Amino acid sequence: MAQDLRSLPESAFRARGRLVAVLLCGICFAGLLGRLCWLQLVSGSWYTRRALGQQLRDTVVPAHRGRIYSADSTLLAANASCWTLRASPREMPEEKLELAAQGLAELLELDRDALLEKFRDRKSNDCLLRRRVDRDTAQAVRSFCRENALTGIRILPDSKRWYPQGDFLASVLGFTNVDNAGVCGLELEYDRLLTGKNGVVLTAVNAWGYPLEQSYATAIAPEEGCGLRLTIDSSIQHFLENALNYAVQEHHVAARAVGIVMEVNTGAVLAMSTTPAYDPNQPRQIYDSALREAVDALPGEQRAAALQQAQQSQWRNKAVSDLYEPGSVFKLITCAAALDAGAVTKNSTFYCGESLTVAGTRFHCANHKRHGSQTVTQALENSCNQSFIQIGARLGKEGFCNYFAAFGLRGATGIDLPGEPKKSLYYTADRMGPVELASCAFGQSSKVSYPGIAAAVCAVVNGGKLMKPYVVSDILDPEGRVLEHRDPVCKGQVIRPETSAVMREMMEAVVLYGGGRNAAIPGYRVGGKSGTSQKLDSADDKARIASFVAVAPMEDPRFLCLVCLDEPHSWTTAGGSLSAPVCAEVLRQTLLYKGIPAALPEEEAQQTLALPDGDSPDGT
């Protein structure tokens, strides 16, 4: 082969060499051209983003959350300007690191050594110093940096949630975390709508990350989130909170109190309170001073666990998230069901003796009272357990369970607040025997939600329509214009209007002549029912829930008030004695505030309330 090559003419050899060189150059050029096409046409956007990432520093400008207003336009949740402090260690002068650590530690109440360690990381271009400081602190840091010619400290505008009314409506509103995201209450339920779109400020930097001498340019302006207008009326909310706070203190309520005021015909929640509450501006501070002192007295891990439990408890909106035994308030549901089904009439009679035995189990009335022979109306007035056991037996377990479901008591009401249990605790017909039917008929052995029982009683008096409870009436744009209006939702016709009319008469009789006398309001026609239920899942056999539900005015029902005092420690635990006066005070103020005229002159009303009924109420 070597001999053959040597025998070739020199010109041919050179031509072949040139051809090989051209081919190699062509291949290389084609490869470079292909690579260039790939970079330009396919990967260009990726390299563009990477270059911009190296040439620009983006700073997020937080957007305000949407504001929350009450039905009467009281501002309940707003935004306050604040500043977040960050550092860029690579931009800080080496000789001033210790000075910076010492000075900023004093201004920001931080650990000096920890700060100095952060500043000595010269590869870092960003580290957090403090979130959401006030104007005075931000100004102090700015002055310190200016006086000491200290670079690398950034003071960035920020936004934090602010609740102008303090602890007012706290359990309904909820609060936000350090990232301005909703944690509970409406802040959580409507977090997506309330959260705005953050803006971005771009700053040109050199290859080492230092800012260039040019002005900031706002690339994207922040957009405030949507706002909310509630059905809550701030005046009625004040009426409820003031009355509940007084009752909790007066009767030493151990497990908090719940109150709900609802519009009978729409399901709109006009007031809702879980008392004691907390301050959403400082949600991690235990609001109950006695509990706070007890937690602080614990050592180490015990304190941490107790603090977490106390915080979770005070944040929980008990009025929505808890189930409870309604007690004798539930007799309204049993009575309405039996009347509507034709199992009884309001003049049907029953006998109440020393006790009533059902399948070997003895039942008696509160305080072992013997009411003798009485009509359904009188049984409701006297809150007679034995009579309602007989009414439940006439209705039958199938009928009872069907109406229980029709009143919406099996599951969630669908109220627009987080934490509502999906299911109640109740007996189905196939699991219900005579004893279970007996106890359920007078309000024991079932656990339902507070909004659920309130909505059910609204249906009892409003003509039989079961309305869905709701808290938000309007979604607003940042300028306050209505984007979406929420109309009342009727979930079904539960009982006939004629049955509802009879129930209104009987409920009014309870307040006039029976166990609800403490709910009477001079000049107004009021109906209601008391309840004193045993907490079957409590370790304390004496633990009770004292409750009352009241409706006014009965000639044209407008407002319902439900009050439940969980574990009162007072001279009695009877709902008719402890909770009824709270309902009366809240409804009295509400009727006056709404301009509802009195149905009777006050003198005539006082005479009506003084009529004897021949039997003292037991207040259950």
Side-chain angles (χ1 to χ4, degrees):
M1 184 67 182
Q3 182 64 33
D4 293 339
L5 289 174
R6 283 195 297 270
S7 65
L8 288 173
E10 185 176 351
S11 59
F13 183 79
R14 289 178 178 175
R16 182 169 293 185
R18 292 190 189 98
L19 179 61
V20 172
V22 169
L23 288 174
L24 290 175
C25 288
I27 292 172
C28 291
F29 181 77
L32 290 173
L33 183 62
R35 180 61 177 167
L36 184 60
C37 290
W38 175 268
L39 293 176
Q40 291 286 344
L41 302 178
V42 179
S43 302
S45 60
W46 182 82
Y47 282 101
T48 299
R49 291 193 301 270
R50 189 171 180 183
L52 289 175
Q54 294 174 344
Q55 298 165 9
L56 297 174
R57 174 193 293 161
D58 61 321
T59 302
V60 174
V61 180
H64 287 320
R65 286 176 72 83
R67 287 160 286 185
I68 302 178
Y69 299 90
S70 68
D72 53 329
S73 299
T74 299
L75 183 61
L76 302 175
N79 304 283
S81 295
C82 58
W83 289 262
T84 290
L85 308 179
R86 308 189 77 90
S88 179
R90 70 166 63 177
E91 299 176 23
M92 299 175 69
E94 180 73 32
E95 67 277 7
K96 295 187 177 181
L97 294 184
E98 293 192 7
L99 172 65
Q102 181 65 41
L104 293 175
E106 293 176 1
L107 292 172
L108 303 178
E109 300 179 351
L110 298 174
D111 182 77
R112 174 193 175 279
D113 294 336
L115 272 184
L116 186 58
E117 184 179 352
K118 286 183 177 181
F119 294 161
R120 283 176 173 165
D121 182 7
R122 307 299 282 168
K123 295 181 180 180
S124 172
N125 198 37
D126 181 68
C127 66
L128 176 67
L129 300 181
R130 277 285 297 274
R131 286 181 182 268
R132 300 193 176 95
V133 301
D134 57 27
R135 183 183 299 275
D136 291 341
T137 302
Q139 186 58 44
V141 172
R142 185 178 289 109
S143 299
F144 173 79
C145 293
R146 186 183 300 117
E147 292 168 2
N148 295 281
L150 180 62
T151 58
I153 303 299
R154 288 184 284 158
I155 303 174
L156 307 175
D158 207 340
S159 173
K160 67 178 179 180
R161 205 57 157 164
W162 173 52
Y163 302 92
Q165 311 301 323
D167 63 345
F168 180 74
L169 196 65
S171 58
V172 173
L173 293 174
F175 62 95
T176 59
N177 60 18
V178 294
D179 296 317
N180 231 14
V183 172
C184 58
L186 289 169
E187 295 281 21
L188 175 61
E189 182 74 10
Y190 288 91
D191 186 60
R192 184 181 61 82
L193 283 171
L194 291 167
T195 301
K197 293 182 180 179
N198 292 335
V200 178
V201 173
L202 299 179
T203 307
V205 295
N206 61 20
W208 294 273
Y210 296 105
L212 298 176
E213 294 296 329
Q214 67 181 63
S215 60
Y216 286 89
T218 302
I220 303 175
E223 297 179 15
E224 183 176 323
C226 294
L228 305 176
R229 180 181 290 120
L230 309 184
T231 60
I232 303 289
D233 187 298
S234 64
S235 295
I236 300 176
Q237 181 71 23
H238 276 298
F239 302 155
L240 179 63
E241 289 191 8
N242 291 340
L244 268 188
N245 279 323
Y246 178 82
V248 166
Q249 296 174 21
E250 180 73 12
H251 303 303
H252 308 286
V253 178
R256 307 174 84 192
V258 166
I260 296 175
V261 179
M262 190 175 290
E263 205 167 54
V264 168
N265 295 307
T266 65
V269 177
L270 302 178
M272 176 182 285
S273 178
T274 298
T275 304
Y278 64 96
D279 186 351
N281 293 304
Q282 297 177 307
R284 301 191 183 280
Q285 178 179 323
I286 304 304
Y287 208 52
D288 186 324
S289 57
L291 179 58
R292 184 171 63 250
E293 291 175 3
V295 169
D296 290 341
L298 296 173
E301 294 183 359
Q302 286 184 324
R303 180 186 180 280
L307 177 62
Q308 184 179 21
Q309 182 178 1
Q311 288 173 339
Q312 294 291 337
S313 177
Q314 76 174 11
W315 297 341
R316 192 177 77 251
N317 184 4
K318 182 176 179 177
V320 172
S321 63
D322 285 19
L323 300 176
Y324 84 113
E325 296 90 347
S328 293
V329 168
F330 191 85
K331 289 170 180 171
L332 294 175
I333 309 302
T334 303
C335 188
L339 288 170
D340 197 66
V344 299
T345 68
K346 71 174 184 178
N347 295 317
S348 298
T349 57
F350 302 92
Y351 185 79
C352 171
E354 179 182 357
S355 65
L356 179 65
T357 301
V358 178
T361 300
R362 295 179 64 189
F363 294 91
H364 55 77
C365 284
N367 302 321
H368 293 269
K369 286 198 172 184
R370 305 181 186 184
H371 297 108
S373 179
Q374 54 191 347
T375 64
V376 175
T377 303
Q378 292 170 328
L380 198 63
E381 291 175 20
N382 298 322
S383 197
C384 178
N385 291 345
Q386 294 184 43
S387 293
F388 272 88
I389 291 173
Q390 298 170 65
I391 292 172
R394 290 194 186 183
L395 179 60
K397 65 178 184 178
E398 294 288 346
F400 179 89
C401 291
N402 288 340
Y403 275 98
F404 189 93
F407 274 105
L409 296 173
R410 283 189 174 183
T413 63
I415 190 172
D416 49 343
L417 284 168
E420 185 181 24
K422 293 182 179 180
K423 291 184 64 177
S424 304
L425 296 179
Y426 60 92
Y427 283 100
T428 55
D430 59 327
R431 295 174 51 241
M432 181 179 282
V435 174
E436 290 77 18
L437 175 59
S439 61
C440 288
F442 64 83
Q444 291 290 158
S445 302
S446 300
K447 296 183 75 172
V448 297
S449 71
Y450 297 93
I453 202 70
V457 176
C458 283
V460 168
V461 299
N462 71 6
K465 299 183 296 294
L466 181 65
M467 306 303 297
K468 178 181 176 181
Y470 67 106
V471 174
V472 173
S473 63
D474 296 296
I475 308 296
L476 310 174
D477 70 7
E479 284 71 42
R481 294 185 293 264
V482 176
L483 295 175
E484 178 188 344
H485 176 70
R486 304 283 179 86
D487 291 316
V489 175
C490 179
K491 301 171 73 174
Q493 185 76 28
V494 183
I495 58 175
R496 291 174 289 112
E498 296 81 6
T499 304
S500 179
V502 173
M503 286 302 302
R504 290 196 294 270
E505 294 177 9
M506 296 171 68
M507 289 176 64
E508 187 174 8
V510 171
V511 173
L512 288 173
Y513 314 118
R517 290 179 178 181
N518 288 322
I521 305 172
Y524 291 94
R525 295 174 58 187
V526 181
K529 183 69 188 78
S530 60
T532 308
S533 54
Q534 182 180 2
K535 297 180 69 172
L536 299 178
D537 54 359
S538 174
D540 182 2
D541 292 339
K542 297 182 179 180
R544 298 290 187 271
I545 299 175
S547 61
F548 198 91
V549 63
V551 177
M554 289 309 289
E555 67 273 16
D556 180 21
R558 292 277 305 278
F559 309 110
L560 172 142
C561 182
L562 172 67
V563 169
C564 300
L565 307 180
D566 197 342
E567 296 188 26
H569 296 274
S570 190
W571 56 276
T572 182
T573 58
S577 299
L578 305 186
S579 299
V582 181
C583 289
E585 180 60 19
V586 173
L587 285 180
R588 183 187 68 81
Q589 295 184 73
T590 299
L591 292 167
L592 294 174
Y593 165 67
K594 289 293 187 177
I596 307 299
L600 299 170
E602 187 167 335
E603 296 78 7
E604 184 180 343
Q606 293 287 2
Q607 293 175 2
T608 303
L609 294 177
L611 288 175
D613 67 335
D615 193 3
S616 60
D618 57 17
T620 60

